[in-house]
Amino acid sequence: PAAWIDRTFGELVHALVTGEDRQAFGNFTGCCIPVALYRESRRRFLPPGCAGFNCTGPPMHTRLEAEDFITILGDENFGRAAHKAGLFDQAGRPHPPEEIS
């Protein structure tokens, strides 16, 4: 959610594990935990053709950016609430599998 830009990964972990900011994530019930951060390669030295990088368990002081994607392990209730809140729309829709001939 936009309200989380420039806050830290540690704040996000704390808020989701304790349930302090359930409203920003669709008022979910159940539990979840953020485990990774995907970040685009802009302003960073990466090999040509590398669009970004995934950091599992990033440092807790890592500031969240608008373009970041967060991998969150959660139960079905979290998934449904986050989807309803429009948080999955940013990642795009899965493509149908191509037929193999």
Side-chain angles (χ1 to χ4, degrees):
W4 280 88
I5 296 169
D6 204 38
R7 293 183 65 184
T8 67
F9 187 79
E11 289 175 296
L12 179 66
V13 170
H14 178 78
L16 290 177
V17 169
T18 63
E20 286 182 6
D21 196 8
R22 292 178 187 270
Q23 188 171 2
F25 295 88
N27 273 333
F28 67 95
T29 58
C31 59
C32 64
I33 185 166
V35 295
L37 170 79
Y38 176 83
R39 185 163 281 175
E40 293 180 356
S41 64
R42 61 181 174 69
R43 299 187 324 248
R44 292 164 183 85
F45 178 76
L46 293 173
C50 184
F53 60 93
N54 193 63
C55 180
T56 305
M60 293 294 168
H61 65 271
T62 302
R63 294 267 169 205
L64 301 176
E65 298 179 3
E67 297 83 13
D68 289 344
F69 289 95
I70 309 295
T71 302
I72 299 174
L73 297 179
D75 61 11
E76 183 178 352
N77 292 321
F78 173 77
R80 287 183 189 277
H83 178 72
K84 190 174 181 180
L87 299 178
F88 293 149
D89 292 345
Q90 299 168 6
R93 307 238 183 266
H95 299 285
E98 295 181 19
E99 285 190 33
I100 300 173
S101 53

